[in-house]
Every structure is written in structure tokens, then in C-alpha cells.
DNA sequence: TTGAATCTTGATAAAAAAGTCAAGATTATA
DNA sequence: TATAATCTTGACTTTTTTATCAAGATTCAA
């Protein structure tokens, strides 16, 4: 199970642009390329996906660049990741069993699909309330939103 | 975020072999190929990974084939998936922040890494108690082990 | 010992993903 | 209008993943 390069870079670009939302500054492809260490061509390609996904607005011309299409707290990370990298488990797979809520072990394939669905549900539960805003600020940190066991550094 | 073909096929092959554990029958590459619709060459390649990972024993010769190296309830799915597909987030990445328990939003890259780690933790929590046995039997179904919201088909 | 059935391994080929390139379109400013 | 800075798009190349192939090694049974 891996994240694609497009998910990694796409999220980084979106966060970068999001950091400038408050000051209403748009970022250009060369600027993002410099910040993130991704080639300009590749940034252009990735931003296209985010723009078509509805997360970014773009403006051409000398004063052009990219801005968020909505405020950071309105942009859900789950939606962004679905656009950038697709989903682990697609519900259309088991359309014939719309009410399915038990694992199907009749075939090995179905066992595996059920497992994928469980994992997908787990990830969805983590992401469903997470917005871009949660990935921006230094005071609002993400781990505090979840029950991640802290390392034993409370005495440091 | 996607599963690799090796994870999908590897798990299917392992489940298939596991179904014959009770009757102490070993399965050959051609048999598994027929059952799962995967080419013999590909089955051989995938089983090699599972064997090197310690989940399968193999025997050559006319009566040869593959068997589980341990009983299904001893084989943890989390270990199998780690061997077949690697991990989403590798702890070695943030070795320099061994005590890190807050999201690092100083750089976009660190925000994203923190997110990957959260997702990895979520998946681990789902998988940590799941064994191959849970994917085999028809009476032991996986969904019942977790709180997956049932569809409204209780009256059907 | 011979042959058939099996697993084992490294090399090769095909497919998919990732990244690059070049030409074009738009906008602001002088 | 002319120029410079920008985004836009489709084609191309490279890299990685996936799948196939071929030769070899092992085991059993006649």
C-alpha cells in the first residue's frame, strides 16, 4: 500500500498555496517549484489536476498564479486525496450486493475485497473531518485531533 | 493510495493455501493458478515473496507444493501486507525527531508526512489483531470484528 | 536409472506511472 | 501594439512496476 507521487506532491503544493490564502497572495508555478523542489513542468502538471478537481483557481497573464478556490477549512483532505490518487476500494465493485455488511469468504477474491473495504472505511473515518486548515497552522496540530499515542518525551 | 498487484494477488494466494491447511493438503503452482486466474509464472513469483517472508513452506518434487508455515491464526495480516507491499509511512523517515508527537507544519513536506503517519496508524489499528484465520472461515466474518455500520437490510 | 512433476532463479518483455518538453493562449504594462 | 510573464495542453521520454520466459534443481516412482 503506497501513496502515489501525485498524492504526495499534490498535497504539498496545495498546502503551500493555502499558506498564502490569508494574505490573498497567489503563487506562480516557478514560486511553488522553488519552495517545494519540484520541477516547474511537474508542478504545472500537478496543479492542473488540482484545478480540474475544483480546489484551485488560476489566473493567466503577468499577474497570474494560483489561489485556493475556497477557504482552507472548506477544503476536505479526503476529497483532495480522492482526486489526486483515487480510492483504495471502489463501491461499484460490489454493486450487486448493495446491502453487504459481512465479509464474503466464498472466494478468496471476495475476502480480499472485504479487507480492502475495511481499510478504506478506517482511512475515511480518519480523514472525513480533516480540512486543509488542519495542515496549515502551527498551533492547530493534527495529532492532537486524534488519539495518537505520544512518545515518552513529556519529561524532556 | 493504492494496493499493489502483489498485495492483491499475494493475499489471494495465501488465503487459497490457507483454506487447505486443515486437511493438510499442499497446493501446487498450477492449482493455485487455476483457482485464482493468475498465470503460473506470476504465481511462482508471488509465492516466492511469501516464502521468503516466512509465511509459506515449499517442497519440491513430484509430490511437492506449498503449505502454510504456521496455522492461520498465527499468521498476522499486517505482517503479510508489510512483506508484500511495504509500509505507507516508515518510521526511519523522522528518525531525527524521535520524540515527535505533534504535527510539524514548518514545512509542507512535514505536514504531509504527519498525515501519512496518521493514516498508517489507523490502518495498523485495524489490522493488528487480524489473522489469516479471519479471512478463511465462513462463520468467522471480518466485519463482525469491527464496528462497520450495517446497511438498513435488517428486515430483509 | 530414467522420466515426469514439481519448485527456483535470473533475465527479458510489457504495461503503467512519473516526469519532461515544446508550442500555444492569456493578461498586464510600457 | 509589442513584450514579458504567466497559465494550458498534448506529445514525448524515462523510470518503475508488473508479468513472462527459459533454464536449472529437486523429488518421487516405476
Amino acid at each position: 500500500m503506497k501513496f502515489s507521487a501525485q498524492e504526495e506532491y499534490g498535497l504539498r503544493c496545495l498546502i503551500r498555496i493555502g499558506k498564502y490564502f490569508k494574505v490573498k497572495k497567489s503563487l506562480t508555478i516557478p514560486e511553488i517549484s522553488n519552495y517545494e523542489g519540484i520541477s516547474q513542468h511537474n508542478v504545472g502538471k500537478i496543479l492542473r489536476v488540482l484545478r480540474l478537481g475544483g480546489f484551485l483557481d488560476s489566473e493567466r497573464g503577468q499577474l497570474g498564479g494560483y489561489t485556493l478556490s475556497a477557504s482552507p477549512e472548506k477544503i476536505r483532505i479526503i476529497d483532495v486525496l480522492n482526486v489526486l490518487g483515487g480510492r483504495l476500494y471502489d463501491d461499484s465493485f460490489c454493486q450487486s450486493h448493495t446491502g453487504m455488511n459481512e465479509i464474503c469468504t466464498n472466494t478468496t477474491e471476495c475476502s480480499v475485497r472485504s479487507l480492502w473495504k475495511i481499510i478504506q472505511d478506517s482511512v475515511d473515518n480518519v480523514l472525513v473531518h480533516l480540512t486543509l486548515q488542519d495542515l496549515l497552522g502551527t498551533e492547530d496540530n493534527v495529532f492532537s485531533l486524534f488519539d495518537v499515542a505520544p512518545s515518552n518525551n513529556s519529561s524532556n
Side-chain angles (χ1 to χ4, degrees), chain A:
Chain A
M1 184 170 45
K2 291 289 180 190
F3 292 107
S4 66
Q6 188 165 266
E7 285 172 293
E8 167 91 26
Y9 291 153
L11 208 45
R12 276 163 61 180
C13 290
L14 192 67
I15 290 170
R16 181 64 65 181
I17 295 168
K19 283 179 183 292
Y20 289 85
F21 180 79
K22 268 192 251 178
V23 295
K24 296 187 178 174
K25 168 170 168 43
S26 70
L27 287 188
T28 67
I29 288 175
E31 283 173 327
I32 297 168
S33 171
N34 280 336
Y35 281 137
E36 294 299 334
I38 310 168
S39 78
Q40 292 191 19
H41 286 120
N42 209 5
V43 169
K45 186 182 184 178
I46 291 161
L47 293 189
R48 183 176 187 230
V49 176
L50 289 169
R51 176 173 53 86
L52 295 176
F55 306 108
L56 292 178
D57 289 333
S58 66
E59 201 137 7
R60 289 180 174 184
Q62 216 168 17
L63 300 182
Y66 291 88
T67 51
L68 296 185
S69 65
S71 57
E73 64 270 17
K74 296 270 178 58
I75 296 177
R76 301 197 313 162
I77 299 301
I78 192 173
D79 297 330
V80 175
L81 287 181
N82 286 344
V83 164
L84 287 172
R87 286 173 72 73
L88 228 39
Y89 173 91
D90 190 339
D91 267 333
S92 68
F93 189 86
C94 277
Q95 272 182 335
S96 52
H97 305 77
T98 52
M100 180 180 102
N101 66 340
E102 293 182 3
I103 199 164
C104 169
T105 52
N106 290 330
T107 70
T108 59
E109 185 169 339
C110 238
S111 295
V112 172
R113 292 293 165 180
S114 301
L115 178 60
W116 290 172
K117 178 160 170 49
I118 287 170
I119 294 177
Q120 175 75 71
D121 285 345
S122 168
V123 173
D124 284 349
N125 278 333
V126 167
L127 293 182
V128 69
H129 289 120
L130 198 68
T131 71
L132 181 57
Q133 179 63 45
D134 300 316
L135 299 182
L136 296 181
T138 49
E139 54 277 304
D140 307 316
N141 69 66
V142 176
F143 281 108
S144 68
L145 298 177
F146 302 96
D147 266 344
V148 173
S151 307
N152 58 344
N153 62 346
S154 54
S155 57
N156 290 357

